[in-house]
Amino acid sequence: MKGWDSPSLPKGYVAEPSPVKGETKKMNLVEAIRSGLDIALQTDPTAVVFGEDVAFGGVFRCSVGLQAKYGKSRVFNTPLCEQGILGFGIGLAVHGNTAVAEIQFADYIHPAFDQVVNEAAKFRYRSASLYHCGRLTVRAPYGAVGHGGHYHSQSVESYYAHIPGITVVIPRGPSQAKGLLLSAIRDDNPTFFFEPKALYRAAMEDVPIGDYTLPLSQAEILHEGSDVTVIGYGAQIQPLRQACIVAKEQLGVSCELIDLRTIVPWDEDTVIKSVCKTGRVVVAHEDTFTGGFAGELISTVQAECFLNLEAPIQRVCSWDTPFPMVYEPFYVPSKYRCFEAIKKVVSF
């Protein structure tokens, strides 16, 4: 396709500079997550890490070496029982511990849905703040990976974004993941931390080796623009970057790319300010159209920026079908579909 062979178009993951000052080390996303878990265990004697197979590193090897370093009482395996993992984590957090639970794939959190909706999310509210499980963090790999099929590729963030009392965070790369994970673990609200598994080893960048945090509920403008506000999160930032570059080269369109980072509570102010400037919006995520978080975001933008909008808001999502295996490249919101959405919104 014309324009997609441009020398200025990145061929793979776009590494970013370190978000904080200090000594750095090349890490992929797996190593950055492991470094964050290591620091959490080192700095907080009440912290424990648990889940299916985490004792020997987990299926993606994010916790390799942590049991040997911190002992079997702080890093340990659980039975293959998601509702048990979440229930155990809630109990640990209520009793003052920092509980970091791993669910092997985000697709399999659903058996624990009652524990999340009726226990974790409501503990503080129903006890009038006498008790809470705010030091519970649930890690899980989510999204397309190229070969996962319908049981290992789903984006489930909208289910959990719908629950009052739950924070939902999705990083876009290694340095962001470490800082946001440490913030999530130390935050006094139960947090779901969804990791884009397609980037586990594909994303490599300079990550600070020390202890640092990045703010929750604060979006980041990755590059400023004047014509279109383009919004995404997690792995979707990569195709959006490419679409923005081609839009600039082919159409002369200046895109302002925003990474939400935290889905709930999301940073309305940054998005609204950007939309009031550009007047055009494209939102993209790997989740499906119906019920996806883009609908919530668009509703807010429509209400707050109606008089500033120059065109209907465009939404680029996965199709409303089960996640296919062989047709994954046509199912997820590719760089080509994102570019066509930008083209459509500026041509209105």
Side-chain angles (χ1 to χ4, degrees):
M1 183 180 289
K2 182 181 177 183
W4 294 100
D5 57 354
S6 168
S8 62
L9 196 66
K11 303 303 181 185
Y13 175 80
V14 178
E16 300 180 11
S18 172
V20 298
K21 294 180 179 179
E23 185 181 354
T24 63
K25 178 183 177 182
K26 289 285 186 185
M27 299 185 197
N28 60 27
L29 183 55
V30 166
E31 293 166 329
I33 294 293
R34 186 186 307 141
S35 179
L37 293 173
D38 189 359
I39 289 173
L41 289 163
Q42 179 183 343
T43 58
D44 181 355
T46 74
V48 292
V49 173
F50 55 94
E52 298 163 15
D53 302 326
V54 301
F56 66 82
V59 68
F60 291 105
R61 321 307 287 165
C62 290
S63 55
V64 166
L66 295 183
Q67 187 183 77
K69 186 173 183 179
Y70 295 102
K72 295 182 179 180
S73 64
R74 299 189 65 197
V75 181
F76 50 86
N77 291 336
T78 66
L80 202 162
C81 178
E82 286 77 17
Q83 57 266 54
I85 295 171
L86 264 293
F88 179 71
I90 291 167
L92 276 176
V94 168
H95 284 278
N97 296 283
T98 298
V100 185
E102 178 184 299
I103 301 295
Q104 207 163 79
F105 289 88
D107 314 58
Y108 294 116
I109 298 180
H110 306 316
F113 202 61
D114 179 66
Q115 291 289 336
V116 178
V117 176
N118 289 322
E119 301 299 337
K122 296 179 173 62
F123 227 108
R124 179 182 277 116
Y125 181 82
R126 69 190 179 111
S127 69
S129 295
L130 186 61
Y131 306 106
H132 69 86
C133 58
R135 285 303 178 97
L136 169 67
T137 301
V138 181
R139 294 180 43 250
Y142 88 98
V145 70
H147 50 77
H150 55 285
Y151 285 136
H152 298 84
S153 305
Q154 298 171 86
S155 295
V156 302
E157 66 271 12
S158 61
Y159 291 105
Y160 299 92
H162 183 68
I163 306 168
I166 297 293
T167 299
V168 180
V169 180
I170 304 182
R172 66 178 181 270
S175 59
Q176 289 286 313
K178 180 178 175 180
L180 290 170
L181 177 60
L182 284 167
S183 293
I185 290 171
R186 292 164 177 171
D187 190 57
D188 279 329
N189 295 287
T191 302
F192 278 70
F193 192 86
F194 292 119
E195 301 159 9
K197 59 179 175 286
L199 300 181
Y200 266 154
R201 288 173 176 80
M204 177 78 74
E205 58 193 18
D206 293 318
V207 178
I209 63 173
D211 187 345
Y212 69 99
T213 57
L214 296 174
L216 303 180
S217 297
Q218 183 174 314
E220 183 176 2
I221 299 175
L222 301 184
H223 55 76
E224 296 186 355
S226 57
D227 299 324
V228 185
T229 298
V230 179
I231 307 165
Y233 52 82
Q236 191 59 37
I237 292 298
Q238 296 306 307
L240 286 174
R241 282 187 195 273
Q242 295 180 314
C244 290
I245 292 171
V246 175
K248 181 67 174 179
E249 293 184 349
Q250 284 196 22
L251 308 175
V253 172
S254 173
C255 297
E256 182 149 290
L257 179 58
I258 298 177
D259 177 12
L260 286 183
R261 300 198 292 186
T262 302
I263 310 307
V264 173
W266 65 284
D267 183 357
E268 297 181 18
D269 291 343
T270 296
V271 171
I272 289 169
K273 183 179 179 180
S274 175
V275 175
C276 288
K277 176 178 67 173
T278 66
R280 299 174 181 87
V281 187
V282 172
V283 187
H285 57 51
E286 280 189 20
D287 199 1
T288 53
F289 276 91
T290 303
F293 192 73
E296 178 62 31
L297 193 152
I298 290 168
S299 176
T300 299
V301 169
Q302 184 80 356
E304 299 295 331
C305 309
F306 181 76
L307 296 178
N308 298 90
L309 291 173
E310 301 289 346
I313 300 171
Q314 297 299 304
R315 180 169 42 153
V316 191
C317 310
S318 294
W319 307 110
D320 285 341
T321 72
F323 199 107
M325 181 177 285
V326 67
Y327 295 118
E328 180 179 307
F330 309 101
Y331 178 77
V332 297
S334 66
K335 59 187 178 183
Y336 306 111
R337 287 174 58 197
C338 293
F339 170 75
E340 289 300 321
I342 294 171
K343 185 177 179 180
K344 183 175 182 179
V345 79
V346 298
S347 302
F348 181 78

